[in-house]
């Protein structure tokens, strides 16, 4: 059995990432970006990738990566979740990178590992691992078709596109038409990708690459959801200690204490499920089971934590200036990303050989 506690190296990584986010990713700045039409924080992305080498955590050292594991990537995602950081880390450094690792595409992996290139897998964000996904038409060496719901496509340099011949193709994003879609979560925007006779480079078989990429995405998304839930709980407790009603701190009322205690239990359990998924991905043990458990559990907890934060902050929580709306929107969008909790429960029932209700 692996040790799911954080190692000294992981805690040092967390401290470094949190310091960087504290300096460069404050809530007013994130809110201002969502209003600007360019929500992605590319200067922060450069600091995370160029400065700290975090885009290459899952890439072997001989390909200019860090040669680390999903455990370290999970720690980074916990911190990015706490800050609702608008960077394409999950989509490029995890999902697109995993697809390329499955194909063994060394040159592109080098580019993604150094952060100089941002990749996006052109599969809708809501597709669960192992589920059907849309493909484009491959005809006379050119790709034709439209794919919707592609996360972070707006900042991608290379799109990894599955085609009807079973291949996965690398497409220069400048040759595709990328149209922003209206997204609930403005910090991880979606887009429609249209290919009108575009040339792509065959990387390998799409099916195993997409399955591996989405499984890693679902498993590590739980760490983002845990970070988000932990921040909303901590911030709510802090606020309720200061906010007074009837000359008493609101946090002193028993009904409020019960709600917070229940939420604390859910958040702690989410950490265990998310850590287990990251460890399983790192070591290759019972991966499907660990990932489905983590997603089935983490998604509703993140939503519950953000909803409680919104309610318990009272009137101020309903304002645009307070960041809690960013967390609620991210939690809601995350809850259908890489499969809904219901889809993961069904998958879990099949894995455990139990009939789903």
């Amino acid at each position: 059995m692996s040790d799911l506690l954080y190692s000294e190296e992981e805690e040092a990584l967390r401290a470094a990432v949190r310091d960087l986010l504290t300096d460069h990713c404050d809530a007013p700045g994130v809110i201002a970006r969502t209003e600007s039409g360019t929500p992605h924080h590319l200067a922060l992305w450069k600091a995370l990738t160029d400065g700290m080498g975090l885009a290459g955590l899952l890439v072997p050292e001989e390909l200019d990566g860090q040669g680390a594991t999903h455990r370290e990537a999970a720690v980074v995602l916990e911190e990015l979740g706490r800050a609702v950081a608008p960077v394409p880390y999950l989509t490029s450094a995890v999902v697109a990178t995993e697809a390329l690792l499955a194909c063994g595409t060394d040159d592109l992996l080098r580019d993604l590992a150094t952060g100089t290139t941002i990749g996006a897998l052109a599969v809708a964000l809501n597709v669960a691992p192992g589920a059907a996904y849309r493909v484009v038409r491959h005809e006379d060496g050119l790709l034709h078709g439209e794919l919707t719901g592609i996360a972070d496509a707006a900042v991608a340099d290379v799109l990894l596109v599955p085609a009807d011949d079973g291949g996965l193709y690398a497409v220069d994003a400048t040759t595709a038409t990328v149209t922003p879609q209206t997204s609930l979560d403005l910090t991880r925007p979606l887009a429609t990708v249209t290919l009108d006779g575009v040339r792509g480079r065959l990387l390998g078989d799409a099916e195993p690459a997409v399955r591996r990429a989405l499984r890693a995405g679902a498993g590590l998304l739980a760490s983002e959801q845990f970070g988000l839930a932990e921040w909303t709980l901590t911030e709510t407790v802090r606020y309720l200690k200061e906010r007074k009603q009837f000359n008493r701190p609101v946090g002193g009322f028993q009904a409020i204490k019960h709600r917070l205690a229940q939420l604390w239990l859910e958040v702690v359990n989410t950490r265990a499920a998310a850590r287990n998924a990251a460890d399983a991905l790192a070591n290759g043990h019972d991966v499907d089971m660990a990932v489905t458990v983590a997603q089935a559990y983490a998604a509703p907890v993140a939503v519950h934590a953000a909803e409680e934060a919104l309610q318990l902050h009272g009137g101020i929580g309903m304002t645009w200036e307070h960041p809690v709306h960013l967390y609620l929107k991210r939690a809601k969008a995350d809850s259908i990303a890489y499969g809904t909790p219901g889809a993961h429960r069904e998958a879990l029932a099949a894995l455990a050989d139990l009939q789903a209700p």
Side-chain angles (χ1 to χ4, degrees):
M1 178 70 187
S2 296
D3 183 355
L4 297 185
L5 297 174
Y6 299 100
S7 67
E8 281 184 27
E9 291 82 1
E10 287 166 351
E11 288 294 8
L13 174 62
R14 174 194 310 288
V17 175
R18 188 174 296 189
D19 284 349
L20 181 70
L21 292 170
T22 301
D23 292 342
H24 296 285
C25 193
D26 63 329
V30 176
I31 292 170
R33 280 178 193 286
T34 63
E35 298 171 310
S36 70
T38 51
H40 291 96
H41 194 336
L42 294 180
L44 174 62
W45 173 252
K46 190 170 171 57
L48 289 165
T49 56
D50 223 13
M52 299 178 73
L54 298 183
L57 285 181
L58 300 180
V59 179
E61 289 181 43
E62 60 267 24
L63 297 176
D64 299 338
Q66 302 298 320
T69 73
H70 299 80
R71 288 176 61 119
E72 288 81 10
V75 169
V76 174
L77 279 162
E78 285 180 21
E79 293 306 310
L80 295 176
R82 283 178 61 89
V84 214
V87 291
Y89 191 84
L90 183 67
T91 45
S92 184
V94 176
V95 176
T97 297
E98 286 276 348
L100 292 174
L101 285 166
C103 297
T105 319
D106 291 0
D107 59 328
L108 260 180
L109 273 170
R110 278 198 171 88
D111 294 342
L112 259 63
T114 55
T116 52
T117 295
I118 296 172
L121 180 67
V123 171
L125 184 62
N126 65 321
V127 175
Y133 51 87
R134 289 180 65 178
V135 296
V136 298
R137 195 171 85 254
H138 182 260
E139 194 176 298
D140 301 330
L142 300 176
L143 301 170
H144 307 260
E146 183 179 276
L147 301 165
T148 56
I150 312 303
D152 293 334
V155 284
D157 302 298
V158 61
L159 299 165
L160 310 180
V161 181
D164 59 3
D165 64 348
L168 185 68
Y169 290 84
V171 172
D172 179 345
T174 59
T175 64
T177 305
V178 178
T179 313
Q181 289 178 253
T182 303
S183 310
L184 173 65
D185 175 14
L186 301 172
T187 60
R188 183 177 285 143
L190 306 177
T192 297
V193 172
T194 308
L195 305 176
D196 190 9
V198 168
R199 196 165 294 284
R201 173 183 148 208
L202 181 63
L203 302 171
D205 291 342
E207 187 67 40
V210 170
R211 183 184 295 265
R212 174 174 170 170
L214 296 185
R215 187 172 73 170
L220 292 185
L221 178 66
S223 290
E224 178 185 294
Q225 289 164 322
F226 162 64
L228 186 155
E230 189 183 47
W231 183 91
T232 50
L233 173 61
T234 304
E235 199 57 27
T236 303
V237 169
R238 188 187 65 73
Y239 175 76
L240 292 176
K241 283 179 177 176
E242 296 172 0
R243 175 91 169 99
K244 287 190 168 60
Q245 224 170 31
F246 309 115
N247 223 19
R248 282 177 58 189
V250 175
F253 293 103
Q254 193 170 23
I256 300 290
K257 286 182 180 178
H258 285 179
R259 283 169 71 169
L260 294 172
Q262 174 61 37
L263 193 55
W264 182 82
L265 285 171
E266 291 178 13
V267 171
V268 170
N269 288 338
T270 299
R271 176 168 56 201
R275 287 296 289 167
N276 186 48
D279 188 71
L281 284 162
N283 296 310
H285 301 315
D286 291 329
V287 181
D288 290 335
M289 183 76 82
V291 168
T292 50
V293 167
Q295 260 318 298
Y297 193 84
V301 171
V303 173
H304 182 213
E307 287 176 344
E308 287 288 74
L310 184 74
Q311 286 191 11
L312 294 174
H313 271 82
I316 194 173
M318 303 296 282
T319 64
W320 182 258
E321 290 72 25
H322 195 281
V324 71
H325 66 91
L326 295 174
Y327 290 83
L328 180 57
K329 290 167 186 169
R330 171 67 70 90
K332 292 293 277 187
D334 279 359
S335 71
I336 57 169
Y338 306 117
T340 61
H344 286 286
R345 282 194 293 271
E346 278 184 36
L348 186 59
L351 288 168
D353 207 19
L354 293 168
Q355 190 62 46

